[in-house]
């Protein structure tokens, strides 16, 4: 699965000078049913479809997916405000647009497009298809023709419905413990709440309008540029601006070139500087140093007459070294978060008996803050979701899933699914707690654990498909549970009812179960998904299938010295993470992130250059006018990403109707005469 980049650094304070996050005691809070509106659901479906298209494109190209929470809140505000403004001009009376409705829309959109990420359309689900099987090789040990299940709308939508709702019911009873008792931060949820609260003040609405205009401007530029590029992209994989040797033909052969992608530049503007620099460093280490060196060993370490995608050659090094970095980073952070969670819980319990002995001096300001906190607490607790509803919902959905999944994947026996659902709530709690502390969801790491365990348990007779399916079950539960708690934090700070938040999550998840497969199907039918030489390489599909084969077969099939190199990078990932934790913040801020470094090892360096261009633009912008950069960078980035994403739809339609670009622009060395 791709690397999801959090938005913790996007908004760190209210967008206006006043304190919009502090609720007033006289504020009117609409009933929970009024917070969910038909217009809100329609807007959520539209934005959910757009963001699913964007997420699929990123998943199928580079696997780096920025958080779109801020864009969801911003565009939700813009669309509903435009809607109500138009109706008022036509003489209709409209209901006021409240921050609670804005929060519900944002929650619904995130729940919808989140399934395009956690649904595995670019990773475990695509790993089962015929193309990925053939890429790895029919003669590759453990890669069996029987372990193939090609995408189909029917089973994908069915699988989404039976696994995607369980995470919502697994932890809903603990929302008060996580948000009020433990006071977990959930940085992205808090940042989104600050944004929405700012929108619904007079000065905040003015800034929001400017942000929306900026987003629309760059969305238009991005869309027009993507359309312009299409005319030169010809037929084949070597045409157009996407293959422009900006750094020279020699660098181009090692994937070092700028490909003029608005999406990746937008990602660079949204992602923290350290993420973008880590990606570029990974590209330099792999495509600048390691792969050219290993290429000189062809005929010694591996046969020199292999295809470019043969795992017994250089391709195998690329995949498994990337896997080792990803697993090293994931394992370290998993152990770290479990230890931190256990320590925090023990500390919280030990302090409970001492609370009554602490006397806090009351000032006018502290009294006001206490009143505001009490208002939030009472609002958050008032519309409670009964524990029996959560328990009954989880048991019922688990029973349906246990009966259904073996019919979709015969390799997965019912008792294995039952075991998954018994241990999943504990893992979901760990992931949700860790996300609240660090803003880093490790859903893909928990999924990989399920993949390895189930693949080894089932063995060579179906272990590959069983492991990939178990990965989907586990990842879906822990991911949606963490997303729900993140949104509960947003609702807590915007005085939104937890019941409306939960219902909007259910609606968004139901929309995502249909929209995410349908938008993926658009790509599947229009483009050559999984081609190693195409635009939509689907890099994680190969990686996840290799992980499943590794879980079944072991390390015997790796090329010479590959295991030793993998061990070096696995240990390096652990050491780098340890250094990030033990060094002072002034130093650790410059230490790279192994998970981000791993992405270009397999894919190439081109997108790393695009993202670095984005981060360079932001760096200069911050130096020239930090306030303006903080206020508008997210809107500009969202516009660049959304415009390029929107162009995907007409591009796919043209491809479906076999309408090819009229011009092929390509480059070759000049021939001296």
């Amino acid at each position: 699965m791709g690397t999801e980049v959090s938005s913790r650094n996007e908004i760190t304070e209210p967008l206006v000078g006043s304190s919009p996050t502090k609720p007033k005691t006289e504020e009117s809070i609409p009933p929970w049913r009024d917070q969910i509106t038909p217009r809100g659901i329609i807007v959520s479906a539209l934005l959910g479809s757009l963001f699913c298209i964007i997420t699929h494109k990123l998943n199928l190209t580079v696997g780096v997916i920025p958080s779109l929470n801020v864009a969801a809140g911003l565009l939700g505000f813009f669309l509903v405000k435009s809607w109500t403004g138009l109706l008022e001009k036509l003489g209709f009376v409209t209901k006021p647009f409240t921050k609670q409705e804005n929060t519900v829309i944002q929650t619904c959109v995130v729940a919808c497009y989140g399934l395009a990420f956690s649904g595995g359309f670019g990773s475990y689900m695509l790993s089962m298809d015929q193309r990925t099987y053939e890429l790895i090789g029919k003669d590759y040990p453990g890669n069996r023709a029987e372990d193939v299940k090609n995408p189909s709308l029917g089973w994908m939508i069915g699988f989404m419905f039976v696994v995607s709702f369980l995470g919502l019911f697994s932890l809903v009873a603990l929302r008060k413990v996580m948000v009020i008792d433990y006071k977990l931060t959930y940085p992205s949820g808090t940042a989104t709440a600050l944004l929405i609260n700012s929108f619904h003040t007079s000065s905040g609405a003015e800034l929001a309008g400017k942000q929306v205009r900026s987003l629309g401007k760059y969305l238009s530029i991005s869309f027009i540029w993507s359309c312009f590029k299409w005319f030169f992209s010809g037929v084949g994989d070597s045409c157009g601006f996407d293959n422009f040797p900006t750094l020279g033909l020699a660098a181009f052969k090692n994937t070092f070139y700028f490909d003029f992608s608005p999406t990746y530049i937008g990602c660079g503007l949204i992602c923290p500087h350290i993420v973008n620099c880590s990606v570029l460093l990974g590209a330099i280490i792999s495509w600048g140093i390691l792969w050219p060196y290993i290429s000189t060993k062809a005929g010694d370490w591996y046969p020199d007459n292999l295809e470019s995608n043969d795992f017994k050659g250089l391709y195998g090094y690329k995949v498994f070294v990337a896997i080792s970095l990803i697993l090293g980073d994931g394992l370290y952070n998993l152990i770290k978060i479990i230890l931190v969670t256990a320590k925090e819980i023990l500390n919280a319990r030990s302090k409970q008996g001492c609370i009554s002995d602490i006397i806090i001096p009351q000032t006018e300001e502290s009294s006001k803050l206490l009143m505001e906190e009490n208002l939030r607490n009472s609002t958050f607790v008032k519309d409670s979701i009964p524990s029996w509803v959560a328990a009954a919902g989880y048991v019922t959905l688990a029973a349906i899933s246990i009966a259904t999944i073996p019919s979709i994947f015969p390799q997965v026996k019912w008792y294995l699914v039952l075991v998954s659902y018994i241990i999943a709530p504990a893992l979901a709690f760990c992931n949700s707690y860790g996300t609240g502390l660090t803003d880093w969801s490790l859903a893909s790491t928990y999924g990989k654990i399920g993949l390895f365990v189930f693949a080894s348990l089932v063995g060579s007779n179906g272990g590959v498909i069983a492991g990939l399916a178990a990965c989907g079950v586990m990842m879906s539960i822990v991911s949606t549970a963490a997303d729900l708690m993140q949104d509960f934090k947003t609702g807590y700070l915007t005085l939104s009812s937890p019941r409306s938040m939960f219902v909007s999550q259910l609606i968004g998840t139901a929309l995502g179960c249909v929209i995410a497969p349908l938008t993926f199907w658009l790509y599947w039918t229009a483009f050559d998904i999984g081609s190693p030489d195409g635009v939509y390489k689907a890099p994680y599909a190969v990686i996840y299938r290799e992980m499943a084969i590794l879980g079944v077969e072991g390390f015997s099939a790796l090329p010479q010295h590959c295991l030793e190199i993998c061990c070096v990078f696995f240990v390096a990932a652990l050491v780098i993470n340890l250094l990030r934790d033990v060094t002072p913040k002034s130093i650790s801020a410059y230490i790279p992130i192994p998970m981000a470094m791993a992405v270009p090892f397999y894919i190439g360096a081109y997108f790393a250059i695009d993202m670095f261009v984005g981060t360079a633009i932001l760096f200069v912008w911050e130096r020239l006018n930090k306030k303006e950069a903080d206020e508008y960078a997210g809107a500009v980035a969202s516009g660049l990403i959304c415009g390029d994403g929107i162009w995907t739809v007409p591009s796919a339609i043209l491809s479906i109707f076999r309408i090819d670009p009229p011009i092929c622009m390509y480059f070759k060395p000049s021939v001296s005469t």
Side-chain angles (χ1 to χ4, degrees), residues 1 4 52 55 109-120 479-480 483 516:
M1 173 116 142
E4 185 171 23
C52 278
T55 302
V109 172
V110 171
C112 179
Y113 93 81
L115 293 188
F117 180 77
S118 64
S479 177
T480 52
D483 289 343

Side-chain angles (χ1 to χ4, degrees), residues 507-558:
I507 295 172
T509 302
L511 289 172
C513 288
V514 177
I515 292 173
L518 285 175
T519 48
F520 169 76
W521 200 249
L522 178 71
Y523 284 93
W524 180 257
T525 55
F527 303 110
D528 189 15
I529 302 299
S531 171
D533 299 319
V535 176
Y536 298 99
K537 296 178 176 65
Y540 283 93
V542 171
I543 287 176
Y544 271 67
R545 188 174 183 92
E546 276 296 325
M547 288 182 184
I549 294 173
L550 197 61
V552 173
E553 297 292 322
F555 298 96
S556 58
L558 298 181

Side-chain angles (χ1 to χ4, degrees), residues 613-624:
V613 168
T615 209
I617 292 170
L618 180 62
F619 180 81
V620 173
W621 193 358
E622 288 173 335
R623 293 299 177 273
L624 296 176

Side-chain angles (χ1 to χ4, degrees), residues 238-290:
S238 59
C239 304
F241 286 91
D242 292 339
N243 296 278
F244 197 108
T246 44
L247 302 178
L249 289 170
F252 180 80
K253 290 180 181 178
N254 284 314
T255 72
F256 281 94
Y257 59 93
F258 176 64
D259 74 346
F260 301 91
S261 169
T263 295
Y264 303 148
I265 295 173
C267 288
L269 282 166
I270 286 183
C271 295
H273 293 304
I274 187 61
V275 171
N276 298 310
C277 293
S278 298
V279 171
L280 183 62
L281 177 62
I284 293 170
I285 291 173
S286 55
W287 291 91
I289 301 171
L290 188 59

Side-chain angles (χ1 to χ4, degrees), residues 163-215:
V163 302
S164 298
F165 290 90
L166 281 122
L168 303 181
F169 288 91
S170 62
L171 292 184
V172 67
L174 297 179
R175 74 192 186 286
K176 179 178 176 295
V177 174
M178 306 284 266
V179 175
I180 296 178
D181 296 344
Y182 290 161
K183 299 185 186 299
L184 295 176
T185 308
Y186 290 103
S188 287
T190 300
T192 305
L194 291 170
L195 179 79
I196 292 174
N197 282 336
S198 297
F199 283 171
H200 295 271
T201 63
S202 57
S203 55
E206 181 183 351
L207 176 59
K210 293 179 181 178
Q211 290 174 322
V212 166
R213 285 192 292 274
S214 179
L215 186 148

Side-chain angles (χ1 to χ4, degrees), residues 99-151:
K99 63 183 180 183
Q100 287 81 12
E101 185 181 355
N102 203 162
T103 303
V104 164
I105 292 171
Q106 184 268 339
T107 299
C108 196
V109 172
V110 171
C112 179
Y113 93 81
L115 293 188
F117 180 77
S118 64
F121 297 98
S123 56
Y124 65 83
M125 198 176 284
L126 202 58
S127 297
M128 306 175 188
D129 82 326
Q130 184 73 23
R131 166 60 68 83
T132 308
Y133 160 74
E134 292 174 353
L135 274 177
I136 292 176
K138 299 177 182 179
D139 299 328
Y140 192 83
N143 190 34
R144 307 187 317 149
E146 295 86 348
D147 293 326
V148 169
K149 190 173 184 66
N150 287 310

Side-chain angles (χ1 to χ4, degrees), residues 442-462:
L442 295 177
S444 59
T445 300
Y446 289 100
K448 293 183 187 81
I449 293 172
L451 186 155
F452 278 113
V453 170
F454 278 73
S456 60
L457 286 175
V458 175
S460 58
N461 188 21

